[in-house]
Amino acid sequence: MDAARVMTAGAVDLGEKPSVVSAIVKYHLTERGRQVINDAMDVHAGKGICMGPNNYLARAYQSTPIPLRSRARTFSPAR
């Protein structure tokens, strides 16, 4: 994450407009964050879904963006 920040900040400092690169970095960092919080919820099991002052995962899980991807899926016809 730090390397991505340094790379895009360096590009901006050089006067470039790294919109495509920053969009790709944002996508990958968001996906990695989603994977990390989901894995943490798996590790903590039931404690991860119980809201309360000692739960440090619930708010992070709730604030994780929902992916809006369109993937072509093929379904087998019912026989």
Side-chain angles (χ1 to χ4, degrees):
M1 189 176 345
D2 194 47
R5 181 189 59 81
V6 169
M7 180 187 71
T8 54
V12 170
D13 288 344
L14 292 174
E16 298 177 16
K17 297 180 182 177
S19 57
V20 174
V21 173
S22 62
I24 293 169
V25 167
K26 180 180 177 182
Y27 168 76
H28 285 286
L29 291 179
T30 301
E31 287 298 314
R32 182 60 54 107
R34 183 178 296 111
Q35 182 181 7
V36 167
I37 195 68
N38 282 335
D39 290 346
M41 292 290 278
D42 288 344
V43 168
H44 289 284
K47 184 173 172 58
I49 61 169
C50 297
M51 293 297 292
N54 294 329
N55 189 347
Y56 50 88
L57 292 176
R59 294 292 177 208
Y61 183 76
Q62 287 179 340
S63 66
T64 303
I66 298 171
L68 300 176
R69 293 182 236 152
S70 61
R71 291 185 178 171
R73 295 185 180 174
T74 57
F75 295 99
S76 301
R79 293 182 186 199

